[in-house]
């Protein structure tokens, strides 16, 4: 079994826990400077930057307001001293993700295949094995009973078939939408997989794809996610296939460079007021006016903005039904990828708090980089522990599987996404049961002159960078039609 990992992106541009949260009727003090453009874009992640890029190309003026000191949102690249980089959030792409690949070609960003040469490690109930590929002779080495593997394979076939009946643009119109939306993924799993081995594989896959537990979200959303990627086979082929040489932040950085002073960093948006002739967007120290606004960010974060007039109940309550996923992503950087000398590809699958790792080295093989994840409940349990404790647990796991050389990385990076001020979780906002059928398309339906983007709103590759780009381009097209 191949467990696909990816990060998701979107843009964040609102305050979290701000002392200004209660100033719903406040008016900026006189003398605050103002800017104006055809479109004000709130959030400088992939969705916001894709929208800005399309609008400027169509001759419209934009202002992008981003709360962070960088663009990229949940796509966050850091350079490693002496060479290499780490992608702390989103990172994987694939051949079926055509929109983001078109942007990569436009800005001369190269791709390279994810390193998968050699054997993976699987540990289950204390038994460990090295295996490669999905051939029968390899699967027989896995310490999971054959009947459990067969049950898991049958379940994959079953949900793949169900996903084919779900229209990505309107999942509430699926044949059994109400029934699927009334149960969690765990409910469906428990009804269709009785063996411990099958449930282990399925639960690990769910956590890797969604960064939440199977009990946390709607089974209809699970099926929508598969359908939005073009089916399970396409999802498996494209979700882990490639990486960007130099990191994922290159594309939003390149778009921002072309926009120049139109991108305003360190500018968290506090209020959006569309009661006047223009839409007024207010940050801590400025007001901006536009004919239209695109809010391009994770819906739970977008809900923290003060809107005037208030948002319709359908939109606001939709966001109340979404909770951000929980992920801790860490990189250990070594002089060389020494695990390759052992015939290993850096991938593990375990029942420990660090349940998956991958080889994240640059295409030339140096430096050697291992990436490790806490996801779902382990990420929640470890989020408030000291950074040193998280690091110690990750290095302990890497030593356990790759040997004592893993104990002493040259550099170490980690992001606890639930503690990241402008995201408060990763990969995405996940809908509870009943959300799709009760609120339908309220998440992406414009409210007056306010339009919505962000990968959660996409009907194509939702929760991926590809979905973010698609959502930004869709929102830009909506705005173009109105201007």
């Amino acid at each position: 079994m191949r467990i696909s990992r990816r990060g998701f992106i979107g843009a964040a541009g609102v305050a979290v826990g701000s002392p200004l949260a209660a100033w719903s009727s406040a008016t900026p003090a006189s003398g605050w400077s103002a800017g104006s453009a055809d479109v004000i874009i709130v959030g400088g992640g992939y969705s916001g930057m894709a929208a800005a890029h399309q609008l400027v190309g169509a001759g419209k003026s934009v202002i992008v307001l981003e709360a962070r000191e960088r663009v990229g949102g949940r796509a966050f690249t850091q350079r490693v001293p002496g060479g290499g980089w780490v992608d702390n959030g989103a990172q994987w792409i694939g051949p079926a993700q055509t929109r983001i690949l078109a942007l990569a070609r436009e800005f001369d960003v190269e791709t390279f295949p994810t390193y998968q040469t050699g054997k993976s490690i699987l540990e289950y109930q204390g038994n460990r094995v090295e295996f490669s590929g999905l051939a029968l002779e390899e699967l027989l080495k896995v310490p999971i009973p054959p009947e459990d593997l067969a049950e898991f394979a049958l379940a994959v076939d079953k949900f793949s078939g169900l996903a084919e009946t779900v229209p990505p643009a309107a999942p509430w119109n699926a044949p059994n939408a109400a029934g699927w939306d009334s149960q969690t993924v765990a409910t469906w799993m428990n009804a269709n997989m009785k063996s411990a081995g099958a449930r282990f594989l399925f639960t690990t896959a769910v956590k890797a794809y969604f960064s939440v537990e199977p009990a946390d979200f709607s089974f209809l959303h699970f099926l929508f996610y598969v359908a939005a990627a073009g089916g399970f086979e396409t999802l498996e082929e494209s979700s882990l296939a490639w990486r960007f040489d130099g990191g994922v932040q290159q594309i939003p950085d390149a778009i921002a460079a072309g926009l120049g002073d139109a991108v305003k960093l360190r500018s968290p948006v506090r209020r959006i007021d569309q009661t006047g002739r223009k839409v007024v967007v207010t940050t801590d120290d400025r007001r901006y006016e536009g004919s239209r606004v695109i809010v391009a960010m994770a819906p739970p974060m977008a809900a923290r903005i003060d809107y005037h007039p208030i948002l319709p109940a359908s939109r606001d309550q939709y966001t109340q039904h979404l909770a951000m996923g929980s992920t801790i992503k860490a990189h250990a950087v070594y002089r060389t990828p020494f695990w390759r000398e052992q015939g290993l590809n850096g991938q593990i699958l375990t029942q420990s708090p660090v349940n998956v790792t991958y080889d994240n080295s640059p295409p030339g093989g140096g430096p050697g980089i291992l990436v490790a994840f806490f996801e779902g409940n382990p990420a929640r349990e470890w989020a408030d522990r000291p950074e040193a404790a998280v690091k110690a647990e990750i290095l302990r796991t890497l030593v356990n599987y790759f040997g004592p050389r893993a104990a002493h990385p040259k550099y170490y990076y980690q992001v606890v996404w639930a503690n990241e001020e402008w995201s408060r979780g990763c990969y995405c906002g996940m809908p509870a049961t009943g959300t799709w059928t009760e609120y339908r398309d309220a998440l992406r339906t414009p409210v007056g002159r306010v339009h919505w983007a962000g990968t959660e709103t996409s009907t194509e590759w939702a929760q991926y960078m590809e979905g973010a780009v698609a959502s930004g381009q869709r929102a830009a097209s909506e705005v173009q039609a109105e201007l």
Side-chain angles (χ1 to χ4, degrees):
M1 174 192 178
R2 189 173 83 200
I3 303 297
S4 299
R5 289 275 336 109
R6 77 285 169 272
F8 287 104
I9 64 87
V14 304
V16 178
S18 166
L20 300 178
W23 61 288
S24 62
S25 61
T27 301
S30 61
W32 282 17
S33 58
S36 63
D38 292 328
V39 185
I40 310 300
I41 298 174
V42 182
Y46 260 92
S47 54
M49 300 312 285
H53 187 54
Q54 178 171 318
L55 288 166
V56 169
K60 307 302 180 183
S61 61
V62 303
I63 293 174
V64 179
L65 302 176
E66 168 56 49
R68 296 177 174 89
E69 60 185 14
R70 60 173 178 84
V71 294
R74 286 170 275 176
F76 173 28
T77 303
Q78 284 182 280
R79 299 295 161 187
V80 174
W85 73 92
V86 295
D87 281 323
N88 293 299
Q91 71 169 63
W92 279 291
I93 54 169
Q97 298 176 359
T98 56
R99 294 174 185 265
I100 192 169
L101 290 173
L103 287 176
R105 287 191 298 272
E106 181 178 348
F107 293 105
D108 296 320
V109 178
E110 299 292 332
T111 63
F112 69 100
T114 300
Y115 188 85
Q116 301 191 65
T117 302
K119 294 189 175 183
S120 305
I121 299 174
L122 184 145
E123 185 166 1
Y124 175 68
Q125 295 183 346
N127 298 309
R128 184 184 303 185
V129 69
E130 297 176 4
F131 71 102
S132 56
L134 299 177
L136 179 60
E137 60 271 20
E138 292 295 325
L139 289 176
L140 291 176
K141 300 177 185 178
V142 175
I144 296 176
E147 57 270 24
D148 293 19
L149 292 172
E151 185 179 49
F152 173 74
L154 185 63
V156 171
D157 286 342
K158 186 171 184 178
F159 76 66
S160 298
L162 296 179
E164 292 177 358
T165 71
V166 176
W172 52 87
N173 287 333
N176 191 31
W180 293 332
D181 205 28
S182 68
Q183 60 184 298
T184 67
V185 176
T187 303
W188 187 88
M189 174 184 71
N190 292 334
N192 289 273
M193 284 169 268
K194 304 300 183 183
S195 65
R199 291 183 182 183
F200 161 69
L201 291 172
F202 185 76
T203 297
T204 303
V206 167
K207 290 167 66 174
Y209 279 115
F210 297 96
S211 72
V212 295
E213 300 292 330
D216 290 335
F217 67 111
S218 161
F219 182 61
L220 178 60
H221 183 75
F222 177 93
L223 297 178
F224 156 77
Y225 169 91
V226 175
F232 187 70
E233 183 176 345
T234 304
L235 178 65
E236 280 288 281
E237 290 175 351
S238 280
S239 58
L240 186 67
W242 301 335
R243 295 168 56 208
F244 285 135
D245 190 355
V248 297
Q249 204 174 318
Q250 295 174 92
I251 293 174
D253 280 349
I255 295 173
L259 295 174
D261 291 342
V263 178
K264 312 295 183 182
L265 301 178
R266 304 177 189 87
S267 299
V269 168
R270 310 299 189 180
R271 175 185 174 107
I272 297 176
D273 189 332
Q274 54 175 325
T275 58
R277 186 178 62 84
K278 294 283 189 178
V279 185
V280 178
V281 180
T282 307
T283 66
D284 287 340
D285 59 355
R286 285 179 172 82
R287 290 175 28 167
Y288 300 90
E289 294 184 349
S291 297
R292 295 275 162 169
V293 170
I294 295 175
V295 178
M297 53 200 301
M301 299 301 294
R304 301 186 182 199
I305 297 175
D306 179 20
Y307 296 90
H308 285 262
I310 64 172
L311 296 177
S314 57
R315 164 73 196 192
D316 189 70
Q317 292 201 353
Y318 200 129
T319 61
Q320 293 179 39
H321 283 70
L322 299 180
M324 293 299 291
S326 298
T327 305
I328 301 173
K329 185 175 183 180
H331 289 87
V333 182
Y334 306 91
R335 187 176 63 84
T336 63
F338 59 85
W339 50 92
R340 297 182 186 181
E341 301 168 11
Q342 307 168 35
L344 300 175
N345 60 21
Q347 298 180 19
I348 68 168
L349 177 64
T350 80
Q351 294 174 295
S352 67
V354 181
N355 65 318
V356 290
T357 68
Y358 295 91
D359 184 328
N360 249 18
S361 308
I369 304 176
L370 288 170
V371 61
F373 296 86
F374 289 73
E375 296 159 316
N377 283 342
R380 296 165 187 156
E381 293 166 6
W382 286 79
D384 294 325
R385 299 189 189 186
E387 179 177 339
V390 176
K391 178 181 179 180
E393 177 64 18
I394 287 171
L395 294 183
R396 184 198 66 79
T397 301
L398 297 181
V399 168
N400 185 29
Y401 292 100
F402 302 113
R405 294 171 70 181
H408 305 290
K410 189 174 181 181
Y411 302 103
Y412 175 84
Y413 305 84
Q414 75 178 41
V415 176
V416 181
W417 280 96
N419 292 333
E420 206 281 326
E421 183 177 12
W422 307 112
S423 297
R424 300 316 306 261
C426 208
Y427 317 125
C428 289
M430 302 299 298
T433 55
T435 305
W436 271 118
T437 49
E438 290 295 327
Y439 299 104
R440 302 195 171 198
D441 60 350
L443 202 61
R444 61 176 179 269
T445 300
V447 176
R449 289 167 284 171
V450 176
H451 300 251
W452 312 101
T455 192
E456 289 92 344
T457 71
S458 183
T459 61
E460 306 170 48
W461 285 97
Q463 301 181 203
Y464 286 79
M465 290 184 287
E466 173 75 1
V469 173
S471 75
Q473 293 174 345
R474 184 258 307 148
S477 295
E478 291 173 359
V479 167
Q480 286 173 245
E482 298 295 332
L483 291 177

